[in-house]
Amino acid sequence: MLTPQRLTMLIFFLQPIAFGSWLPRIPEVQLALGLGPGGLALALLGLPCGTLLTLPFAGPLVGRIGPRRAIIVGFVLYSIAVALPGFATDATLLFGALMLIGSSMSFVELGLNVQADAVEKATGSVIMTTAHGFWSVGIMAGSLIGAALAALGLEPRWAILLVSGAVLPLAIAAALALPVYAEASQSHEGSRSAWALPSWALLGICFFVFGITMTEGAMADWSAIFLRDALGAEAGTVGLGYSVFALMVAAGRFGGDSLKRRFGAVTTARICGVLALAGASMLVFTPNTMLALLGFGIIGLGVSVGFPLAVTAAAALTDRAASANVAILSFVALLGFLVGPPVIGFVAEHADMRLGLACVIPGLLLSLLLTGRLNTNKAVSKSNPEAQIAGVL
């Protein structure tokens, strides 16, 4: 039988496969619906809008029903929703379909992160970054499957539905085998309601991850279009940008737990932050597809550990339940997905795709400046403002 650690990693791997198979089909859907970069940017806002509207309710609900049940229920709804974008006939329906994906995905991913944190606390093992590495392998596998089905000529609607239907029973079987852990109670003075405003310590962690998720969203939504429009890549090549990015995100995450044990969360985040900035700068000025793919890979390695490190740091704060803090982290972090894609689209509409992708650089600089917030030993309590200030340094 699989251990709780391996079961958790398996579901992390399975969850993004169907969504990954949608990403290489975005250019096809864009052309079929007759959308320009600005129109596509507005339609793509559906996913983060759905997630942002749902997360305030998802945190308390996951805390009440438990992460295992949230994974099971959320996965069923998500597997239905993820196939809907291929059936959209205009930008409004595409927005609505993506909004449903974002809404259902929030329950699944929040449940997964809380489950991984519970496994770490119950077993004493460090798996958060590795689990997210399996997520990256899953979305890379999904994007490759999507590209392969596109090469075979299968329409996006049927291709995504096929992938989703194949993954769902495997994910449900794995989720049913997960152990149930009771979340540690927050009994100390200052414990907060799930609906209370976040502490300064938590906000620092959230804004650290803002630039990371902004960049991840940019790569997911615009990498294929960048290769097509800025570098003239052919249809069989445009999907490789995100595949290379996801591969290096996975590689960084599989090594992230070891780096964290050796150097600590802050130093690991700073090294990766510098790499992300170097890769983004390279991508903006690249003259050809091969160097662009190298740039995508360096960016992937640079942003790989940001979100898992932030999840662990948020869950370690003791001002409220871990599910509530992780939900708030996810809410603020997803503002990166909300801000990034439309900004890039509108800049590309009025300038070009190179300048559009350059918009991720300020966000990555913000993340680099806030890496000190990951040191939860310095910022674990609302009642210690000096430590919270020190955490930013």
Side-chain angles (χ1 to χ4, degrees), residues 117-118 121 181-188 191 315 317-318 320-323:
D117 178 66
K121 290 174 179 174
Y181 298 111
E183 188 169 5
S185 62
Q186 309 297 321
S187 58
H188 59 84
S191 179
L317 297 174
T318 55
R320 76 183 90 203
S323 58

Side-chain angles (χ1 to χ4, degrees), residues 93-104:
L93 290 177
L94 179 59
F95 179 94
L98 290 169
M99 190 171 179
L100 290 175
I101 294 176
S103 181
S104 57

Side-chain angles (χ1 to χ4, degrees), residues 25-35 86 88-90 156-157:
R25 315 307 294 264
I26 292 176
E28 292 177 59
V29 174
Q30 178 193 18
L31 291 176
L33 300 182
L35 300 176
T89 55
D90 57 40
R157 64 183 67 183

Side-chain angles (χ1 to χ4, degrees), residues 5 7 36 59 73 109 123 131 159 180 202 210 226 242 245 250 260 269 302 311 336 341 344 350 359:
Q5 296 93 321
L7 283 169
V73 175
E109 294 189 345
T123 65
V180 178
L202 180 58
F210 179 92
F226 171 82
Y242 189 77
F245 170 81
K260 180 184 175 182
V311 170
I344 291 170
H350 296 93
C359 294

Side-chain angles (χ1 to χ4, degrees), residues 61-296:
L61 182 58
V62 171
R64 186 175 302 116
I65 69 175
R68 177 177 174 272
R69 189 175 298 174
I71 292 169
I72 294 170
V73 175
F75 219 113
V76 173
L77 298 175
Y78 159 75
S79 296
I80 297 170
V82 76
L84 298 179
F87 292 89
T89 55
D90 57 40
T92 302
L93 290 177
L94 179 59
F95 179 94
L98 290 169
M99 190 171 179
L100 290 175
I101 294 176
S103 181
S104 57
M105 188 185 293
S106 65
F107 284 101
V108 181
E109 294 189 345
L110 180 58
L112 280 171
N113 282 304
V114 174
Q115 179 70 25
D117 178 66
V119 169
E120 285 190 332
K121 290 174 179 174
T123 65
S125 57
V126 180
I127 68 166
M128 184 67 75
T129 304
T130 303
H132 281 85
F134 277 100
W135 188 95
S136 300
V137 172
I139 200 165
M140 179 187 66
S143 68
L144 291 174
I145 291 170
L149 294 176
L152 292 173
L154 190 61
E155 292 184 28
R157 64 183 67 183
W158 306 120
I160 301 169
L161 188 61
L162 175 65
V163 175
S164 177
V167 169
L168 178 60
L170 298 174
I172 296 301
L176 288 172
L178 286 171
V180 178
Y181 298 111
E183 188 169 5
S185 62
Q186 309 297 321
S187 58
H188 59 84
E189 184 180 356
S191 179
R192 297 181 174 205
S193 163
W195 296 98
L197 292 174
S199 65
W200 286 110
L202 180 58
L203 280 177
I205 298 168
C206 291
F207 287 118
F208 156 78
V209 87
F210 179 92
I212 302 295
T213 56
M214 178 181 177
T215 303
E216 288 181 340
M219 298 302 103
D221 289 346
W222 294 106
S223 59
I225 295 172
F226 171 82
L227 289 173
R228 184 194 66 188
D229 292 354
L231 299 173
E234 298 180 353
T237 306
V238 296
L240 292 179
Y242 189 77
S243 298
V244 171
F245 170 81
L247 174 64
M248 296 311 295
V249 169
R253 286 176 173 175
F254 283 127
D257 288 327
S258 296
L259 288 173
K260 180 184 175 182
R261 284 191 293 265
R262 183 173 181 180
F263 299 111
V266 174
T267 300
T268 299
R270 285 174 178 166
I271 293 170
C272 290
V274 171
L275 284 175
L277 282 168
S281 301
M282 180 179 180
L283 197 63
V284 171
F285 296 104
T286 184
N288 57 58
T289 301
M290 290 303 297
L291 287 177
L293 294 177
L294 179 61
F296 282 123

